[in-house]
Amino acid sequence: MGKGSKRIPSGKLLPDSGKKVQRQEDPDGFYQKHPSWRFQDADKENWVLSKDSFWDSVMPFLVSLESMTWDSILRRSNNNHHFIKLMGLSSRAQAILARKKIDAEAVMSLRLQGKIRLYGIMADNVFSILWLDDNPDCVCRSYLKHT
């Protein structure tokens, strides 16, 4: 290069917009955190938690998960606990989410025992409980393999 010629960098620098990232987190960072529970969004009209079912089955189950990280709960559960895309939910469940203005890409299913599931949405490490369901077809349509 001759005198006065400027070298053009391969990556073009953009002018500083003055905006700064307030908080940058790993989207999978919640896997290393312990769960917290939230009941504010629970659907009290369609799938009701009774006092007996809560204290006899739900509360002991939630307490048993509190010492684990989300990594242990989700990744090592042999698919007992997993995310379900909204399209996999029943039309009734989808309508309730829309009516409550709950904007989520997926709902999480936690298997308590047998066919009993706890459904909710995740926000960071907080599981917001929506439904307790002992009939898997009420909230989430189930499909048998090879049928």
Side-chain angles (χ1 to χ4, degrees):
M1 288 195 273
K3 283 187 175 181
S5 64
K6 295 183 180 179
R7 185 170 176 229
I8 300 172
S10 60
K12 193 175 187 181
L13 293 176
L14 299 175
D16 185 13
S17 67
K19 295 181 181 180
K20 304 230 186 253
V21 175
Q22 293 292 329
R23 186 171 152 187
Q24 187 175 8
E25 286 188 24
D26 177 13
D28 290 333
F30 82 96
Y31 282 110
Q32 304 311 315
K33 296 179 181 179
H34 293 275
S36 293
W37 317 111
R38 181 177 164 171
F39 293 89
Q40 182 176 346
D41 296 320
D43 182 5
K44 298 167 187 77
E45 298 171 17
N46 296 285
W47 291 283
V48 180
L49 280 169
S50 71
K51 287 181 184 178
D52 292 337
S53 66
F54 180 79
W55 291 108
D56 293 342
S57 61
V58 177
M59 187 63 161
F61 173 74
L62 295 177
V63 169
S64 74
L65 296 180
E66 287 181 344
S67 63
M68 303 166 75
T69 63
W70 280 112
D71 179 61
S72 299
I73 295 167
L74 294 172
R75 292 184 177 172
R76 300 176 188 159
S77 71
N78 295 325
N79 212 26
N80 285 329
H81 315 305
H82 55 276
F83 287 98
I84 301 167
K85 292 185 179 184
L86 295 187
M87 295 306 296
L89 299 177
S90 68
S91 57
R92 181 178 173 195
Q94 290 180 34
I96 291 168
L97 289 174
R99 187 178 71 241
K100 289 180 155 246
K101 297 180 178 151
I102 295 175
D103 184 28
E105 292 179 16
V107 169
M108 184 187 291
S109 167
L110 298 176
R111 179 179 178 261
L112 272 73
Q113 60 187 10
K115 293 182 177 183
I116 301 173
R117 304 280 188 275
L118 202 56
Y119 294 95
I121 53 174
M122 289 291 297
D124 194 27
N125 65 315
V126 179
F127 181 75
S128 293
I129 296 169
L130 298 172
W131 303 294
L132 174 69
D133 190 15
D134 60 359
N135 178 359
D137 291 331
C138 283
V139 175
C140 178
R141 299 181 299 248
S142 60
Y143 300 101
L144 295 174
K145 292 181 181 179
H146 311 296
T147 59

